[in-house]
Amino acid sequence: MRKIRDALRYRYTTELSLEAIARALNISKGVVAKYLRLAETAGIAWPLPEGLDDAALERCLYRQCEARASAHVEPDYARVHQELKKKGVTLTLLWEEYREGVGDRGFQYTAFCTRYRDWAGKLKRSMRQIHRVGEKLFADYAGPTLPIIDAQTGEIRPASIFVAVLGATNYTFACATPGQTQADWLGGLARALAGIGGVPQLIVPDNPRALIRDPNRYEPELNRATAEFAAHYGTVILPARPRKPQDKAKAELGVQVVERWILARLRHRQFFCLAEFDAAVTQLLPALNDRPFKKLPGCRSSAFALLDAPYLRALPVTAFVLAEWKRARVSIDYHVEFDDNYYSVPHALVRQEVELRVTRGTVEVLASGRRVASHPRSYRGGHYETLPEHMPAAHRAHAQWSPGRLITWAATVGTATAELVKRLLMEKAHPEQGYRSCLGLMRLARTHGHARMEAACTRALAIGAHRYRSVASILEKGLDRQPLAPPAQAELALPDHANVRGPTYYH
C-alpha cells in the first residue's frame, strides 16, 4: 500500500513520467500503470480522503476484482482435501471434475490450485504430510498411566494406554495393557488391527527396545518377534527416528486426544483389575470417533468407513502367536535348557548351537533354520521332556526295558528262564540293578538258542546259582547237555563193630 500511495502522489504532484516513477519506487512500469488504472477505476485521486487507511484503500482499489471473482463458483475445498488422500487422485483430476460441474463459472487451473493451497495452509501452521488411505497406522503409548488396585492385597500397579491412529482419517483405537513390554506392544497392535478390521500397508510405532533391536536412524533393525508379527500380517513396520516425534505426529495427536477425552473422564474412578479398566476405555472410544470434525465434514468414524476401510488388506485367518526366541547349546545328554526345564533334541546335534522358539504352550528347537524338535512347554521346573527318537540306539534300547518286559521275554524262552529272571530282579535292592544280568541272558539265548538256554536255567535253579555268570559257565562247559540228577548209588552195608549197639539195644 505504501508504494501505491507514493505512485499516486508522484503522478498527481509532479511531472515525472511513468518510467521515472517506476525507477523511483523500484518497481516495473507496468505495475505503476496498473496501480494508476485501479485508482482511476475506483475514482480515487490525490490527495487521498482523510481517514483512509491501508485496508480501506485496498478494498476500494480491488472491489472490482472481487466482484469479478465473486462471479465464479468456489470449489468445495474440504471435499478436495479429502479426495486427494485417495490413490491416484490429483489436483488436475479434481479441477477437471470441478469445471465439468460449474462450466465457465469455475476458476482456471492455476487459480484453483492457488486457492486450495491457501485454504489448506490455514488448517495448521506446520508442514503438512499427505497420508494415503489405508497406507499408515501410527502407534504409541500415552504418557499418563492409571492405577490398578489389587482387591486382595491393596497393591497398586500402573496400567498403560496403547493408542493407534490411521493416518488418512485419524480413526483412533485405544486399549489398556499391563505395561509396555514386547507382549504388550504386539498384543496392542494385534488388537488395533482387529479393531479396524484390516491391515494397512505400513505400521509406524515408536522405537522402544521391546520392538527394535537396533534403533538406527537410517537402518533400524527389528527384533525377531516383531519381524514375525509383520510377516504374519503381511505388512511393514517402520519405526520413527529416535527423538523425532514428527515422524509419528498422528500418534502424538491421537495420544493427546485419548488423554483428554478418555483418561481425563476416568481420573476419579477406581479400578481393581485390568479388564475393568480396558472395558471402560472401550466404552468411551466410540464417542471419541463419532465427534464431528471442526473444519472437515463428518467425523472419524464416517471418514474411516468412506476412505480407509475399503483399502485395508484382509486380516489373516489365524491369530498371531507371540514367541520368545533364545539361543541355546545342546548338552552332552542331548537336551537344551529353558526356564529350568530340559527338552530333548536329536542326539546328532550334541554340543551344537540351536535356536529356541518358545510360545505359551510349546517349545520348538530350530537348527540352521529347520525345526528339529517340538515339545509341550513345562512350568514345573527341573522337568525333562525326552522323545525316544532323539536318543541313540543303545540308550533307547536301555530305556525301553522294564521288569515286566524282561519277564515277558523270558517266558517266551521257557518257565525256568522266566523264574530265573524273576529271581534276578527280585533279589536286588532295586530291580534296575538286575537289568544288565537279564540283558546278558538275552545275549546268551541269541548265541546258544532257546533250548540250551532253558536247560541251563533249569540246572542253575536246581543248584541255587541265580547269577548270569553261573548260566554262562553252564553253557560254556556244556553242562546243560548232561542229565540233571546224578545216577542212584547202591546203599553200602555197614560192617559189624563192637561199639555199634544196633536198633535192639533200646528195647
Side-chain angles (χ1 to χ4, degrees):
M1 290 296 107
R2 180 180 59 81
K3 290 189 176 183
I4 294 177
R5 290 175 182 270
D6 290 342
L8 293 174
R9 180 168 57 83
Y10 289 156
R11 181 61 174 171
Y12 290 104
T13 60
T14 66
E15 300 295 332
L16 295 177
S17 64
L18 295 181
E19 186 176 354
I21 295 174
R23 284 199 304 270
L25 298 177
N26 197 23
I27 56 179
S28 69
K29 180 180 176 182
V31 172
V32 174
K34 185 184 75 170
Y35 289 162
L36 297 176
R37 185 172 62 254
L38 289 173
E40 183 179 355
T41 302
I44 297 175
W46 191 265
L48 297 175
E50 290 289 338
L52 188 67
D53 58 7
D54 289 346
L57 176 61
E58 183 178 9
R59 286 194 299 271
C60 292
L61 294 176
Y62 291 100
R63 185 179 295 114
Q64 297 297 327
C65 296
E66 291 178 357
R68 288 195 298 271
S70 62
H72 294 83
V73 177
E74 290 286 339
D76 185 353
Y77 298 114
R79 175 183 171 277
V80 171
H81 187 71
Q82 294 288 69
E83 290 293 321
L84 273 179
K85 298 178 181 180
K86 298 181 179 179
K87 292 183 179 179
V89 179
T90 63
L91 276 174
T92 303
L93 175 62
L94 295 174
W95 173 74
E96 291 175 354
E97 294 176 351
Y98 158 71
R99 286 299 299 262
E100 289 177 0
V102 299
D104 294 338
R105 294 186 301 160
F107 291 103
Q108 294 299 320
Y109 177 70
T110 302
F112 176 84
C113 294
T114 301
R115 287 172 174 268
Y116 164 70
R117 293 191 177 101
D118 291 343
W119 178 89
K122 297 176 182 178
L123 294 179
K124 188 177 180 181
R125 301 301 184 189
S126 64
M127 176 182 174
R128 299 202 60 80
Q129 301 180 20
I130 301 299
H131 298 290
R132 305 298 178 189
V133 291
E135 183 183 34
K136 292 181 182 180
L137 178 72
F138 298 86
D140 201 357
Y141 268 94
T145 59
L146 211 64
I148 304 296
I149 304 172
D150 191 318
Q152 296 181 350
T153 65
E155 179 185 2
I156 298 178
R157 292 173 288 111
S160 301
I161 294 291
F162 175 84
V163 181
V165 181
L166 283 166
T169 60
N170 292 326
Y171 188 76
T172 304
F173 173 85
C175 65
T177 63
Q180 299 182 23
T181 63
Q182 181 185 80
D184 297 327
W185 266 101
L186 297 181
L189 285 173
R191 290 185 60 184
L193 296 180
I196 65 177
V199 182
Q201 300 177 21
L202 192 66
I203 297 177
V204 183
D206 203 355
N207 49 11
R209 294 293 296 178
L211 297 181
I212 312 303
R213 178 184 298 174
D214 180 14
N216 187 277
R217 180 184 179 91
Y218 303 103
E219 293 182 349
E221 183 179 357
L222 307 179
N223 60 35
R224 189 69 175 270
T226 309
E228 273 196 341
F229 180 91
H232 178 81
Y233 283 97
T235 186
V236 177
I237 295 180
L238 181 63
R241 294 172 295 172
R243 295 179 296 277
K244 295 294 181 182
Q246 62 267 32
D247 288 357
K248 50 179 180 63
K250 290 282 186 176
E252 298 291 334
L253 180 60
V255 164
Q256 185 183 63
V257 171
V258 169
E259 290 175 0
R260 292 177 178 177
W261 290 89
I262 294 181
L263 284 181
R265 283 171 166 76
L266 300 176
R267 68 187 186 278
H268 297 308
R269 291 183 57 180
Q270 288 187 338
F271 298 97
F272 298 95
C273 66
L274 184 67
E276 183 184 357
F277 179 28
D278 185 64
V281 173
T282 304
Q283 185 179 5
L284 292 175
L285 196 57
L288 185 152
N289 286 314
D290 292 339
R291 290 178 57 244
F293 291 128
K294 291 183 178 180
K295 297 184 179 181
L296 298 176
C299 60
R300 289 177 174 85
S301 297
S302 61
F304 167 74
L306 180 65
L307 298 175
D308 272 323
Y311 294 94
L312 294 174
R313 299 173 182 172
L315 289 168
V317 178
T318 58
F320 174 71
V321 179
L322 177 62
E324 179 182 354
W325 288 87
K326 179 185 176 183
R327 290 190 173 274
R329 189 171 295 277
V330 182
S331 178
I332 193 173
D333 63 351
Y334 45 87
H335 283 72
V336 293
E337 183 270 337
F338 179 81
D339 199 17
D340 293 332
N341 290 286
Y342 302 88
Y343 305 90
S344 66
V345 301
H347 64 89
L349 297 174
V350 166
R351 299 187 186 278
Q352 294 187 24
E353 191 175 70
V354 295
E355 283 186 311
L356 304 182
R357 183 179 182 271
V358 184
T359 65
R360 184 169 297 181
T362 61
V363 175
E364 296 177 273
V365 184
L366 291 89
S368 302
R370 182 175 61 89
R371 188 175 72 173
V372 295
S374 179
H375 299 274
R377 183 174 177 179
S378 175
Y379 293 90
R380 286 185 282 178
H383 178 69
Y384 280 81
E385 286 284 347
T386 307
L387 296 180
E389 56 266 27
H390 294 163
M391 305 170 68
H395 293 197
R396 186 164 58 248
H398 178 78
Q400 289 175 347
W401 289 112
S402 64
R405 185 174 180 184
L406 290 170
I407 294 173
T408 301
W409 166 82
T412 62
V413 178
T415 56
T417 305
E419 181 63 24
L420 182 60
V421 167
K422 289 180 182 178
R423 291 176 181 263
L424 285 173
L425 297 173
M426 294 173 60
E427 291 176 357
K428 301 293 184 180
H430 192 280
E432 195 166 335
Q433 291 178 298
Y435 281 8
R436 292 189 180 183
S437 298
C438 295
L439 294 175
L441 295 180
M442 294 178 67
R443 185 183 64 82
L444 292 176
R446 289 194 300 268
T447 303
H448 300 283
H450 286 190
R452 291 193 63 188
M453 183 65 189
E454 177 67 13
C457 290
T458 301
R459 180 174 289 273
L461 289 172
I463 64 177
H466 305 155
R467 298 177 60 196
Y468 158 76
R469 291 185 180 182
S470 299
V471 178
S473 177
I474 291 172
L475 290 170
E476 181 182 355
K477 296 178 180 179
L479 297 178
D480 57 293
R481 292 190 176 98
Q482 297 181 8
L484 180 60
Q489 297 181 0
E491 185 177 350
L492 298 177
L494 294 177
D496 293 333
H497 292 279
N499 60 338
V500 178
R501 297 183 179 93
T504 60
Y505 175 79
Y506 298 98
H507 302 285

